C-alpha cells in the first residue's frame, strides 16, 4: 500500500474507527451516569416512602416498637406486615443499633451477606446521600441509603434501603434468589 489511495483509505478507516470508538465510550458513560442517577432517585424515594409509612404509623398508633417475650425490641406486627411488601432490601434498627426489622429479600441472604449489611448499618451514620458497598466474596456492588427517621418518635436508629432490581442489565438472580421471580 504505497499508493496515496491506499494510505488515504487506511487513514480514513483509522479515523472512522477511532471516531466510532470515542462515540461509543461517550454514549456508554452518559447512559451509565443516567442509570446511576435514576437508581439514586429510586433509593431516595423508597427510603422516603418507608420513612413516611413509619411516621404516619407513629402518628396513628404512638408506639411502634415493643418488647417481645424475650425482652428484645421488635417492630409491632401491624407495621411489620405493611413493610413486608416492600420489594427491596430494607433494614430497620433501634436507637441502640439492634435490628428491628428485615425485609424478605434481606432475610433471603446468606448469613455472611446479611451480617455485612447489618454491620454496614451499624457503622455508617445516617445520611441522605446514596452510597455504594460491595458484598464479598462474590456479591454485587449495592447502592444504598441509610437515613434517620425522626418523625417516627425517636424509636428508630436507622433505615437502610437497597433496591434489588437496580437496573435492567444488572443480574442479582445468582445472588438473591427472590429477585429472579419478579418482573
Amino acid at each position: 500500500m504505497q499508493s496515496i489511495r491506499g494510505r488515504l483509505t487506511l487513514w480514513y478507516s483509522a479515523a472512522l474507527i477511532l471516531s466510532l470508538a470515542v462515540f461509543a465510550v461517550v454514549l456508554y458513560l452518559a447512559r451509565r451516569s443516567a442509570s446511576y442517577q435514576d437508581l439514586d432517585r429510586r433509593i431516595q424515594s423508597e427510603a422516603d416512602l418507608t420513612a413516611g409509612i413509619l411516621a404516619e404509623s407513629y402518628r396513628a398508633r404512638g408506639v411502634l416498637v415493643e418488647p417481645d417475650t424475650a425482652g428484645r425490641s421488635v417492630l409491632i406486627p401491624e407495621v411489620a406486615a405493611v413493610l413486608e411488601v416492600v420489594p427491596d432490601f430494607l433494614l430497620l434498627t433501634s436507637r441502640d443499633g439492634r435490628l428491628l426489622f428485615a425485609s424478605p429479600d434481606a432475610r433471603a441472604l446468606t448469613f455472611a451477606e446479611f451480617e455485612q449489611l447489618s454491620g454496614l448499618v451499624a457503622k455508617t451514620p445516617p445520611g441522605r446521600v446514596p452510597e455504594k458497598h460491595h458484598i464479598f466474596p462474590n456479591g454485587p456492588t449495592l447502592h444504598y441509603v441509610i437515613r434517620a427517621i425522626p418523625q417516627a418518635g425517636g424509636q428508630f436508629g436507622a433505615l437502610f434501603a437497597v433496591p434489588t432490581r437496580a437496573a435492567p442489565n444488572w443480574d442479582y438472580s445468582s445472588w438473591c434468589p427472590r429477585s429472579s421471580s419478579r418482573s
Side-chain angles (χ1 to χ4, degrees), residues 139-151:
T141 298
L142 300 176
H143 285 248
Y144 67 90
V145 67
I146 298 175
R147 65 169 284 189
I149 314 168
Q151 307 88 352

Side-chain angles (χ1 to χ4, degrees), residues 146-166:
I146 298 175
R147 65 169 284 189
I149 314 168
Q151 307 88 352
Q155 301 175 47
F156 300 99
L159 162 70
F160 176 80
V162 176
T164 54
R165 294 167 289 152

Side-chain angles (χ1 to χ4, degrees), residues 125-148:
R128 304 251 343 185
V129 179
E131 298 182 34
K132 292 190 275 188
H133 177 73
H134 182 74
I135 299 294
F136 290 101
N138 54 0
T141 298
L142 300 176
H143 285 248
Y144 67 90
V145 67
I146 298 175
R147 65 169 284 189

